[in-house]
Amino acid sequence: YRLIVQIRIEDFMSELNLMVTISDRNQIRRFLAFYKEYSVNIILVSMGRGTAEDDVLHSFGFEASEKAVLFAMVTTKEWKAIKSGLEKQIKIDIPGTGIVFIVPVSSVGGKKQLQFITEGRDFEKEEESTLKDTKHELLVVIANQGYTELIMDAARGAKAGGGTVIHAKGTGMKKYEHFLGVSLASEKEMIFIVAKSEDKSSIMRAVMDQAGLGSKAKAIVFSLPVTETAGLRLMEQEDD
């Protein structure tokens, strides 16, 4: 039998965060070079486009240009140094430069996946997150392109609702393939699923069991705490 393990971040390491960087596409190389100085590996890069109205864009110093979204994992301790560097080197506070924010990760679906997204770094345990007792969680699944239906079938079988898919490209992942013992395709899909906290573990286990590293999907799943929601009341009433 294959052992399915869900790792609670507060039981394994200091607080881990998903760091998201949004900037104009012509700034990608600049941010990648900066993060390399801080030994931060960008897990995924996705493309997008700003949607704000012209007057809003003008007030923040932005133009309606193509955007790049970078995803990486950092500890709270690492974030403090990165934030200082962003302010001093990148001048992130100047309007139009970009936006960087972090969201605490509450759990990761397996030890090998944890080693991969943290690049094998060792961390010491800190205090538990104050956001762990939330009613909903955002499950983030990173998988090879073309396996969304497999993943969603597994998730729905464990009481998940719908999901949202974003196409992305992996960067710098070859170096860390030995943590997983598999070959990773560069074209990726990110699937976002909002679920009740009580259903989180079963959904993560289902995805890992049916679409994890033993499948062609090679899925990695982790969760982020959701503090407030709007628009889920009808779904919850139907469940009841």
Side-chain angles (χ1 to χ4, degrees), residues 30-31 34 37-38 80-94 97:
R30 184 184 180 200
F31 277 97
F34 168 79
E37 291 183 18
Y38 287 80
K80 292 179 180 178
I82 292 169
K83 181 181 179 182
S84 177
L86 286 168
E87 294 170 348
K88 296 176 181 178
Q89 298 172 236
I90 300 295
K91 309 298 183 184
I92 195 72
D93 292 330
I94 297 177
T97 303

Side-chain angles (χ1 to χ4, degrees), residues 138-139 148 152 155-156 160-166 190-194:
L138 173 64
L139 275 58
T148 299
M152 288 307 304
R156 290 191 184 101
T164 300
V165 182
I166 295 178
M190 296 183 69
I191 304 171
F192 298 96
I193 304 170
V194 177

Side-chain angles (χ1 to χ4, degrees), residues 107-151:
S107 58
V108 177
K111 290 184 178 180
K112 284 190 175 181
Q113 292 89 336
L114 179 61
Q115 286 182 310
F116 174 72
I117 63 177
T118 60
E119 306 160 39
R121 301 192 301 269
D122 293 324
F123 304 104
E124 295 180 359
K125 177 182 174 182
E126 291 184 353
E127 294 182 2
E128 294 186 3
S129 171
T130 56
L131 299 179
K132 66 184 181 69
D133 295 323
T134 55
K135 293 183 178 180
H136 294 86
E137 298 242 356
L138 173 64
L139 275 58
V140 181
V141 184
I142 302 174
N144 289 340
Q145 190 172 9
Y147 295 94
T148 299
E149 289 304 318
L150 173 65
I151 293 166

Side-chain angles (χ1 to χ4, degrees), residues 12-176:
F12 193 81
M13 62 173 66
S14 62
E15 187 171 330
L16 187 66
N17 305 277
L18 176 66
M19 182 177 70
V20 181
T21 304
I22 303 174
S23 69
D24 289 345
R25 292 189 188 181
N26 58 15
Q27 295 287 325
I28 290 181
R29 293 182 182 275
R30 184 184 180 200
F31 277 97
L32 289 177
F34 168 79
Y35 289 133
K36 187 176 181 180
E37 291 183 18
Y38 287 80
S39 300
V40 173
N41 182 55
I42 301 300
I43 299 176
L44 293 172
V45 176
S46 181
M47 301 303 172
R49 182 176 177 81
T51 60
E53 297 180 359
D54 289 342
D55 56 343
V56 176
L57 290 168
H58 179 73
S59 64
F60 284 98
F62 282 103
E63 295 180 357
S65 59
E66 300 297 317
K67 302 295 181 182
V69 185
L70 312 180
F71 299 90
M73 289 289 183
V74 298
T75 65
T76 301
K77 182 178 180 180
E78 290 170 331
W79 165 247
K80 292 179 180 178
I82 292 169
K83 181 181 179 182
S84 177
L86 286 168
E87 294 170 348
K88 296 176 181 178
Q89 298 172 236
I90 300 295
K91 309 298 183 184
I92 195 72
D93 292 330
I94 297 177
T97 303
I99 299 171
V100 184
F101 59 90
I102 61 172
V103 182
V105 175
S106 57
S107 58
V108 177
K111 290 184 178 180
K112 284 190 175 181
Q113 292 89 336
L114 179 61
Q115 286 182 310
F116 174 72
I117 63 177
T118 60
E119 306 160 39
R121 301 192 301 269
D122 293 324
F123 304 104
E124 295 180 359
K125 177 182 174 182
E126 291 184 353
E127 294 182 2
E128 294 186 3
S129 171
T130 56
L131 299 179
K132 66 184 181 69
D133 295 323
T134 55
K135 293 183 178 180
H136 294 86
E137 298 242 356
L138 173 64
L139 275 58
V140 181
V141 184
I142 302 174
N144 289 340
Q145 190 172 9
Y147 295 94
T148 299
E149 289 304 318
L150 173 65
I151 293 166
M152 288 307 304
D153 285 346
R156 290 191 184 101
K159 297 184 178 180
T164 300
V165 182
I166 295 178
H167 297 286
K169 187 176 181 65
T171 64
M173 305 179 89
K174 294 293 182 182
K175 180 179 177 182
Y176 306 103

